[in-house]
């Protein structure tokens, strides 16, 4: 009789291509067999009767801020929050670490901390800023998953935004490395000038902040960076698109043969300007939240296959960066790493009849494919890493602050009720979350 490290029995196994009942056998961190009934034994068995087994999510967009700003969020607390939410791989952004990940030495420092502290798997983004174009090859050789640039002010003094010449030259280098550029696409001219005008004229409400970063700003920047991608042949990934108009521009570019993908975030699929007005800076982000019709437009485009990836853009800060400050002055970032799957299940599967297969596709399979991790990640198949999220779709819960594993226990989702609760998270064959506890707790 075959022996395994773990067997997960009687689950409904979800992949992008369909759902089937069966058992999953795990050995040495890998899935080694999937069958309707596995006639073997294991040191540990998990009964998944009545539960759905999803590939562990791949979160392409988090800010864990270590080294240098671990008091904002750290790799231990950040990865624990992901484990609690069914995420088994994350890509950490090059800011807001100090120093930012813009050369090999900074990469090594962050990678050493991630290896020591993270409870799930990880990859690191490298930064592209005006002063480090000669370091991109070094970062690529170190193993960055890709490069990140800002087309507008990043809010971090040591991570400057990339003006047009930097973008074009950097994209030529990245093309030569066969890597990919991720961009925060907002026009620095539009957002900067409108923000100055609003503040000078006393227009400092939540709605004024949103109006200072209009959808037009994203559309202009996306159109410009797509032209550079077409001219250079550089692969492109547009992060945190906040509206259907932006996604449509990218969809049209794909039809022209441009190698581009687009990511949106759970907050753009679930929160609106009304939430920003009610919650204040807790719900501030850039690009900002939009109105209800834009939420619905994004869901429809997701159903239609035009949205490629969901990333949390978890961008926390100490609470005093949020409280007691005006909307323009407060730190702009939403804490959402732990709740991505909850939002997709409640707002997508339950409220809008988005299939589980589609959710798995945008939150696990597509990011793994786009960034070269498939089929090790993003799917449940023999030979793949044993990265799994085991979920009770029927179990509902109301999120409380004490449920959060973040360093700072705030979120715009506190007080919201979700259907679909993670029971177990398995990363590289190890149970990292079970019984409402992360292994480090």
């Amino acid at each position: 009789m075959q022996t395994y490290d773990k067997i997960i029995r009687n689950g409904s196994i979800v992949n992008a291509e369909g759902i089937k009942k069966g058992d999953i056998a795990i050995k040495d961190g890998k899935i080694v067999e999937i069958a309707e009934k596995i006639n073997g034994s294991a040191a540990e068995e998990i009964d998944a009767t009545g539960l759905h087994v999803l590939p562990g999510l791949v979160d392409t967009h988090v800010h864990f801020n270590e080294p240098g700003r671990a008091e904002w969020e750290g790799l231990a607390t950040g990865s624990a929050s992901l484990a609690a939410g069914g995420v088994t791989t994350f890509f950490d952004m090059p800011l807001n670490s100090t120093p930012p990940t813009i050369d090999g030495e900074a990469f090594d420092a962050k990678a050493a901390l991630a290896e020591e502290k993270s409870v799930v798997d990880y990859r690191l983004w490298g930064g592209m800023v005006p002063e480090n174009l000669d370091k991109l090859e070094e970062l690529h050789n170190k193993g960055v998953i890709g490069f990140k640039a800002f087309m507008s002010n990043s809010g971090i003094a040591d991570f400057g935004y990339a003006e047009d010449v930097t973008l074009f030259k950097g994209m030529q280098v990245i093309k030569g490395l066969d890597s990919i550029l991720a961009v925060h696409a907002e026009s620095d001219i539009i957002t900067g000038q409108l923000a100055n005008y609003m503040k000078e004229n006393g227009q400092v409400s939540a709605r004024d902040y949103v109006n200072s970063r209009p959808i037009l700003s994203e559309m202009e920047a996306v159109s410009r960076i797509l032209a550079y991608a077409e001219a250079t042949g550089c692969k492109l990934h547009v992060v945190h698109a906040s509206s259907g108009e932006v996604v449509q521009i990218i969809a049209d570019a794909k039809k022209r043969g441009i190698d581009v993908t687009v990511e949106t975030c759970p907050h753009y699929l679930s929160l609106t300007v009304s939430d920003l007005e009610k919650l204040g800076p807790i719900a501030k982000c850039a690009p900002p939240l939009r109105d209800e019709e834009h939420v619905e437009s994004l869901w429809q485009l997701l159903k239609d296959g035009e949205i490629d990836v969901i990333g949390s853009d978890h961008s926390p800060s100490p609470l005093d960066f949020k409280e007691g400050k005006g909307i323009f002055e407060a730190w702009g970032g939403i804490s959402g790493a732990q709740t991505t799957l909850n939002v997709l299940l409640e707002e997508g599967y339950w409220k809008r009849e988005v299939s589980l297969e589609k959710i798995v596709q945008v939150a696990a399979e597509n990011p793994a494919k786009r960034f070269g991790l498939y089929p090790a990640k993003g799917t449940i198949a023999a030979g793949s890493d044993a990265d799994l999220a085991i979920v009770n779709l029927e179990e509902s819960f109301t999120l409380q602050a004490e449920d959060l594993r973040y360093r700072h226990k705030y979120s715009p989702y506190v007080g919201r009720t979700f259907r679909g609760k993670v029971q177990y998270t398995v990363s590289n064959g190890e149970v990292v979350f079970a019984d409402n506890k992360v292994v480090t707790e």
Side-chain angles (χ1 to χ4, degrees):
M1 179 183 293
Q2 185 71 43
T3 59
Y4 306 97
D5 296 332
K6 291 180 181 65
I7 299 176
I8 298 166
R9 295 200 181 275
N10 306 314
S12 294
I13 301 167
V14 185
N15 275 313
E17 64 272 17
I19 302 173
K20 62 182 180 181
K21 289 288 290 291
D23 297 350
I24 302 169
I26 297 168
K27 191 173 181 65
D28 297 329
K30 299 285 187 180
I31 297 170
V32 293
E33 185 179 355
I34 300 171
E36 186 174 345
K37 179 68 175 177
I38 292 175
N39 295 313
S41 63
E44 180 182 2
E45 292 199 4
I46 295 173
D47 183 6
T49 302
L51 306 178
H52 284 73
V53 186
L54 282 58
L57 273 59
V58 178
D59 192 336
T60 55
H61 196 150
V62 301
H63 298 265
F64 288 162
N65 311 331
E66 196 172 5
R69 290 191 176 92
E71 72 275 13
W72 292 29
E73 183 76 280
L75 287 152
T77 51
S79 64
S81 71
L82 292 173
V87 180
T88 54
T89 306
F90 66 87
F91 301 171
D92 194 37
M93 284 293 173
L95 72 166
N96 310 318
S97 304
T98 299
T101 314
I102 56 175
D103 58 31
E105 184 178 359
F107 176 94
D108 288 342
K110 178 177 278 195
L113 288 168
E115 190 66 27
E116 174 191 351
K117 297 183 178 184
S118 181
V119 299
V120 297
D121 210 349
Y122 68 90
R123 299 293 188 275
L124 304 180
W125 286 99
M128 188 181 88
V129 293
E131 64 269 23
N132 85 324
L133 297 188
D134 62 339
K135 302 292 185 182
L136 300 184
E137 185 173 1
E138 176 185 22
L139 284 164
H140 177 72
N141 291 338
K142 289 285 185 180
V144 294
I145 200 72
F147 297 91
K148 171 71 178 294
F150 272 73
M151 299 178 72
S152 59
N153 191 311
S154 73
I156 298 294
D158 55 6
F159 198 93
Y161 88 93
E163 34 60 50
D164 288 349
V165 172
T166 294
L167 288 169
F168 199 94
K169 288 184 175 179
M171 292 172 81
Q172 289 177 308
V173 175
I174 293 167
K175 161 64 175 175
L177 298 172
D178 193 27
S179 189
I180 187 169
L181 178 67
V183 288
H184 178 127
E186 290 182 284
S187 163
D188 193 64
I189 293 294
I190 293 174
T191 58
Q193 294 304 308
L194 285 178
N196 288 339
Y197 177 85
M198 298 285 188
K199 290 185 282 187
E200 288 169 1
N201 288 276
Q203 296 172 253
V204 292
S205 69
R207 176 69 65 173
D208 292 326
Y209 169 72
V210 172
N211 290 340
S212 77
R213 305 185 86 97
I215 292 169
L216 178 64
S217 168
E218 288 183 80
M219 296 171 69
E220 188 279 331
V222 167
S223 297
R224 184 158 34 102
I225 200 68
L226 285 169
Y228 299 167
E230 192 165 12
T232 62
C234 180
K235 290 183 284 190
L236 186 65
H237 182 66
V238 178
V239 300
H240 50 52
S242 72
S243 74
E245 290 95 325
V246 174
V247 175
Q248 193 58 59
I249 291 172
I250 295 165
D252 292 342
K254 290 176 184 176
K255 293 173 185 173
R256 299 201 308 274
I258 298 176
D259 191 349
V260 58
T261 44
V262 61
E263 164 195 308
T264 193
C265 308
H267 41 273
Y268 299 123
L269 294 166
S270 59
L271 302 173
T272 68
V273 182
S274 296
D275 292 298
L276 179 62
E277 291 173 324
K278 179 174 67 176
L279 297 171
I282 294 292
K284 179 186 176 182
C285 55
L289 300 175
R290 306 298 183 189
D291 287 312
E292 182 66 32
E293 63 265 28
H294 299 292
V295 173
E296 296 307 323
S297 173
L298 288 173
W299 276 114
Q300 187 57 56
L301 287 161
L302 188 150
K303 289 181 179 180
D304 293 343
E306 300 295 356
I307 291 174
D308 302 291
V309 171
I310 304 295
S312 70
D313 193 9
H314 177 69
S315 186
S317 69
L319 193 53
D320 60 8
F321 283 45
K322 296 278 195 180
E323 290 184 328
K325 298 183 183 297
I327 194 69
F328 280 91
E329 289 70 36
W331 174 255
I334 284 179
S335 294
Q338 188 170 318
T339 47
T340 293
L341 184 56
N342 300 131
V343 170
L344 294 177
L345 290 175
E346 178 61 32
E347 298 292 331
Y349 177 76
W350 286 111
K351 290 185 178 179
R352 293 174 177 87
E353 298 182 338
V354 178
S355 70
L356 293 176
E357 294 95 325
K358 175 59 72 174
I359 289 171
V360 162
Q361 185 179 49
V362 296
E365 182 179 283
N366 281 357
K369 285 182 172 178
R370 181 56 165 164
F371 295 98
L373 302 183
Y374 188 88
K377 309 286 186 187
T379 188
I380 301 174
S384 297
D385 293 348
D387 293 346
L388 306 166
I390 304 175
V391 182
N392 185 342
L393 293 179
E394 304 291 336
E395 184 174 349
S396 66
F397 67 100
T398 300
L399 185 69
Q400 306 297 331
E402 55 266 28
D403 298 329
L404 298 170
R405 269 65 181 185
Y406 311 143
R407 184 174 298 280
H408 303 285
K409 297 183 184 300
Y410 67 82
S411 162
Y413 299 112
V414 168
R416 287 203 172 204
T417 298
F418 296 98
R419 286 167 288 182
K421 188 171 176 60
V422 176
Q423 307 295 305
Y424 302 89
T425 301
V426 180
S427 179
N428 290 312
E430 298 298 323
V431 175
V432 294
F433 179 78
D435 299 322
N436 287 317
K437 293 180 180 179
V438 180
V439 291
T440 55
E441 296 173 334

